[in-house]
């Protein structure tokens, strides 16, 4: 018998497995990707938040990875941490969840705790997960415990991780909440119970919708502040000195990662599908944030026009192509639509990123440069897309022929513009 089986060994599953292992729980990790399983069992990490030495430590603590579903039957708790992308129609794509739940159903034992952590729309645990698990005759709340607990992993965050981030837990019944909360309480500092699974599912969506909408606010302000000759970065710096009632959000070239571009759409889609009317804040925020790469392209054209150059035929260097600073995670990075539009308009696009050696987003059409400073000197226009801490932004600003700073970190001069 093992204490926990974690299904999906990615950016969510691995930090969770690490926290549980460090607390003394016996943990097995399950993934359908045989190469991931082999690497983990060899002590090789594939996620930013865990180094190879962290995986090696987990192995000494008894962790092992597997693609054998029969090993799930020995677990007291099974935690599902698989991706939930958007489908082509903008709605939720639950194929990974459904496949994982089917695997769990084949190994379900009386007394087990089953928890879904994958972000999804309200009602998924009760309407999608529970019927599959109960099809074999066991009943949730009576024969096994079923709950939802939204993942709150923030890749690259050195202050908050799986252990010290409060864990929201909502069960199918009160007893399910209690059982799942007791499991997480063995390795998480604070457990926050909700009334049920729907409340826990919606809490995750509210968190990210809040960020999505506020980022859209400052992205829209960036446009008219530029047109009015107002330095929005200075405005935000002034506003954030208020010790109450204000939280700073910042504009950028778009939104990336799994959470912000995707999760609010689950809530919007659910409202439309179930209630027949739009969640207007989310849809407007999506419209604004999704057009930011196009806005950056227009600003790039304007910057080149100042040198009497056309975008067509110019060399544009992108600095930083990941969705967050100082990590290698490229999921939903706004650098992809930005580069695609620049190439479509005839620019020769180069990139540098200290965390990405081979950027395949455009099929290899965008070549990597080794020396960002030298490349900045040669490029007609440099766009700071992601502010990795390794970049000497002052030196880059001095070296650039033209620089468009989408992160508001470089000193402004006659050759440097901020978004």
């Amino acid at each position: 018998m093992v204490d926990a089986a974690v299904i999906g060994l990615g950016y969510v599953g691995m930090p969770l497995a690490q926290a549980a292992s460090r607390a003394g729980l016996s943990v097995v990790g399950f993934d359908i990707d045989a190469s991931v399983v082999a690497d983990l069992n060899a002590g090789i990490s594939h996620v930013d938040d865990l180094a190879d030495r962290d995986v090696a430590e987990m192995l000494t603590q008894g962790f092992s990875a597997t693609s054998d579903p029969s090993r799930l039957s020995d677990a007291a708790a099974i935690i599902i941490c698989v991706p939930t992308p958007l489908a082509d129609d903008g709605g939720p794509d639950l194929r990974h969840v459904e496949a994982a739940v089917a695997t769990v159903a084949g190994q379900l034992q009386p007394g087990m705790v089953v928890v879904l952590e994958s972000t999804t729309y309200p009602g998924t645990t009760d309407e999608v997960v529970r019927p599959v698990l109960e099809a074999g005759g066991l009943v949730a709340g009576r024969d096994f415990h079923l709950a939802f607990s939204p993942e709150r992993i923030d890749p690259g965050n050195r202050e908050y991780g799986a252990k010290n981030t409060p864990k929201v837990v909502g069960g199918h019944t009160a007893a399910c909440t209690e059982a799942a909360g007791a499991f997480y309480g063995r390795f998480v500092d604070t457990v926050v119970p909700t009334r049920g699974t729907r409340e826990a599912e919606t809490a995750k969506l509210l968190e990210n919708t809040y960020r999505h909408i506020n980022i859209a606010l400052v992205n829209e302000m960036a446009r008219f502040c530029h047109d009015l000759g107002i330095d929005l970065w200075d405005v935000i710096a002034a506003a954030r000195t208020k010790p109450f009632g204000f939280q700073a959000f910042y504009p950028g070239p778009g939104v990336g990662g799994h959470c912000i571009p995707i999760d609010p759409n689950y809530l919007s889609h659910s409202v439309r599908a179930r209630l027949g009317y739009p969640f207007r804040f989310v849809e407007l925020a999506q419209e604004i944030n999704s057009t930011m790469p196009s806005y950056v392209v227009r600003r790039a054209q304007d910057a080149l026009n100042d040198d009497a150059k056309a975008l067509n035929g110019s060399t544009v260097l992108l600095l930083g192509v990941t969705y967050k600073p100082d990590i290698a995670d490229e999921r939903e990075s706004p650098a992809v639509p930005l580069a695609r539009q620049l190439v479509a308009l005839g620019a020769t696009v180069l990139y540098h990123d200290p965390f990405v050696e081979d950027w395949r987003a455009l099929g290899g059409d965008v070549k990597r440069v080794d020396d960002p400073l030298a490349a900045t000197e040669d490029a007609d226009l440099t766009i700071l897309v992601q502010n990795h801490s390794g970049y000497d932004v002052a030196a880059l600003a001095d070296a650039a022929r033209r620089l468009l700073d989408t992160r508001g970190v470089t000193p402004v001069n006659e050759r440097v513009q901020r978004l």
Side-chain angles (χ1 to χ4, degrees), residues 179-237:
F183 164 72
Y184 283 114
R186 297 176 66 183
F187 60 94
V188 176
D189 293 341
T190 305
V191 174
V192 181
T194 63
R195 292 183 63 180
T197 56
R198 282 174 166 80
E199 286 76 15
E201 290 162 339
T202 309
K204 169 67 173 180
L205 299 178
L206 175 60
E207 294 169 14
N208 288 331
T209 299
Y210 167 78
R211 294 166 61 200
H212 187 48
I213 289 171
N214 280 281
I215 291 169
L217 169 65
V218 292
N219 276 336
E220 188 165 33
M221 288 188 70
R223 302 185 189 205
F224 69 71
C225 281
H226 172 69
D227 292 340
L228 293 173
I230 297 170
D231 186 339
L232 177 60
W233 305 94
D234 192 50
V235 170
I236 296 171

Side-chain angles (χ1 to χ4, degrees), residues 32-222:
I32 60 173
D33 189 329
S35 64
V36 167
V37 168
D39 281 349
L40 289 173
N41 286 330
I44 301 171
S45 177
H46 62 291
V47 297
D48 286 296
D49 285 347
L50 276 74
D52 291 350
R53 64 179 177 276
D54 295 318
V55 178
E57 178 188 47
M58 292 172 63
L59 294 173
T60 66
Q61 294 162 341
F63 171 81
S64 64
T66 184
S67 293
D68 179 4
S70 67
R71 294 193 59 188
L72 302 177
S73 63
D74 294 329
I78 298 178
I79 315 302
I80 300 172
C81 304
V82 296
T84 48
L86 290 178
D88 292 339
D89 64 355
D93 181 351
L94 297 183
R95 287 178 294 175
H96 299 296
V97 170
E98 291 166 347
V101 173
T103 299
V104 173
Q107 309 299 326
L108 188 63
Q109 303 296 323
M112 273 186 176
V113 174
V114 180
V115 184
L116 176 65
E117 287 208 3
S118 305
T119 304
T120 185
Y121 61 87
T124 301
T125 306
D126 187 53
E127 299 167 5
V128 177
V129 177
R130 184 170 64 87
V132 176
L133 296 180
E134 290 185 339
L138 298 179
V139 177
R142 185 189 73 188
D143 303 309
F144 69 95
H145 298 291
L146 177 63
F148 182 84
S149 179
E151 61 90 0
R152 281 174 160 177
I153 298 298
D154 184 19
N157 192 321
R158 302 306 177 194
E159 182 177 0
Y160 291 103
K163 183 179 187 301
N164 64 348
T165 301
K167 202 79 176 80
V168 172
V169 178
H172 175 61
T173 64
C176 292
T177 302
E178 183 177 356
F183 164 72
Y184 283 114
R186 297 176 66 183
F187 60 94
V188 176
D189 293 341
T190 305
V191 174
V192 181
T194 63
R195 292 183 63 180
T197 56
R198 282 174 166 80
E199 286 76 15
E201 290 162 339
T202 309
K204 169 67 173 180
L205 299 178
L206 175 60
E207 294 169 14
N208 288 331
T209 299
Y210 167 78
R211 294 166 61 200
H212 187 48
I213 289 171
N214 280 281
I215 291 169
L217 169 65
V218 292
N219 276 336
E220 188 165 33
M221 288 188 70

Side-chain angles (χ1 to χ4, degrees), residues 12 123 130 203 205 227 253 272 276 327 345 382 384 414:
V12 175
R130 184 170 64 87
L205 299 178
D227 292 340
R272 274 193 177 273
I327 63 172
L345 291 171
T382 298
L384 182 65
E414 67 277 1

Side-chain angles (χ1 to χ4, degrees), residues 296-309:
V296 174
V297 170
R298 182 167 69 80
R299 290 286 301 275
Q301 290 175 311
D302 292 344
L304 286 167
N305 283 342
D306 290 339
D307 287 334
K309 294 180 180 178

Side-chain angles (χ1 to χ4, degrees), residues 112-415:
M112 273 186 176
V113 174
V114 180
V115 184
L116 176 65
E117 287 208 3
S118 305
T119 304
T120 185
Y121 61 87
T124 301
T125 306
D126 187 53
E127 299 167 5
V128 177
V129 177
R130 184 170 64 87
V132 176
L133 296 180
E134 290 185 339
L138 298 179
V139 177
R142 185 189 73 188
D143 303 309
F144 69 95
H145 298 291
L146 177 63
F148 182 84
S149 179
E151 61 90 0
R152 281 174 160 177
I153 298 298
D154 184 19
N157 192 321
R158 302 306 177 194
E159 182 177 0
Y160 291 103
K163 183 179 187 301
N164 64 348
T165 301
K167 202 79 176 80
V168 172
V169 178
H172 175 61
T173 64
C176 292
T177 302
E178 183 177 356
F183 164 72
Y184 283 114
R186 297 176 66 183
F187 60 94
V188 176
D189 293 341
T190 305
V191 174
V192 181
T194 63
R195 292 183 63 180
T197 56
R198 282 174 166 80
E199 286 76 15
E201 290 162 339
T202 309
K204 169 67 173 180
L205 299 178
L206 175 60
E207 294 169 14
N208 288 331
T209 299
Y210 167 78
R211 294 166 61 200
H212 187 48
I213 289 171
N214 280 281
I215 291 169
L217 169 65
V218 292
N219 276 336
E220 188 165 33
M221 288 188 70
R223 302 185 189 205
F224 69 71
C225 281
H226 172 69
D227 292 340
L228 293 173
I230 297 170
D231 186 339
L232 177 60
W233 305 94
D234 192 50
V235 170
I236 296 171
R240 69 178 298 183
T241 63
K242 185 179 181 180
F244 53 89
F246 180 82
Q247 180 179 354
F249 289 85
Y250 297 92
V255 290
H258 179 271
C259 293
I260 303 303
I262 294 177
D263 294 355
N265 290 289
Y266 278 104
L267 191 52
S268 176
H269 185 274
S270 180
V271 170
R272 274 193 177 273
R274 293 168 178 263
L275 303 177
Y277 52 80
F279 189 172
R280 290 183 292 173
F281 264 124
V282 167
E283 294 183 8
L284 179 58
Q286 182 66 19
E287 176 187 336
I288 293 169
N289 288 335
S290 64
T291 60
M292 286 306 292
S294 297
Y295 175 68
V296 174
V297 170
R298 182 167 69 80
R299 290 286 301 275
Q301 290 175 311
D302 292 344
L304 286 167
N305 283 342
D306 290 339
D307 287 334
K309 294 180 180 178
L311 182 58
N312 188 357
S314 290
T315 298
V316 179
L317 172 66
L318 304 183
L319 295 179
V321 296
T322 61
Y323 92 89
K324 284 186 68 177
D326 297 333
I327 63 172
D329 196 341
E330 302 173 38
R331 290 177 297 174
E332 306 297 327
S333 171
V336 176
L338 174 58
R340 183 177 294 118
Q341 292 181 46
L342 290 169
V343 170
L345 291 171
T348 298
V349 179
L350 306 174
Y351 89 96
H352 177 271
D353 193 301
F355 299 92
V356 181
E357 290 292 330
D358 185 19
W359 194 37
R360 308 301 300 175
L362 273 67
D365 289 342
V366 180
K367 304 301 182 184
R368 186 181 191 274
V369 300
D370 294 324
D371 185 341
L373 189 60
T376 296
E377 292 175 344
D378 293 337
D380 296 300
L381 174 67
T382 298
I383 304 177
L384 182 65
V385 183
Q386 190 54 261
N387 180 31
H388 294 303
S389 61
Y391 286 144
D392 185 340
V393 293
L396 292 168
D398 287 339
R401 298 180 185 179
R402 286 282 173 184
L403 189 144
L404 176 57
D405 173 11
T406 71
R407 299 297 176 177
V409 294
T410 56
V412 175
N413 59 42
E414 67 277 1
R415 292 174 287 104

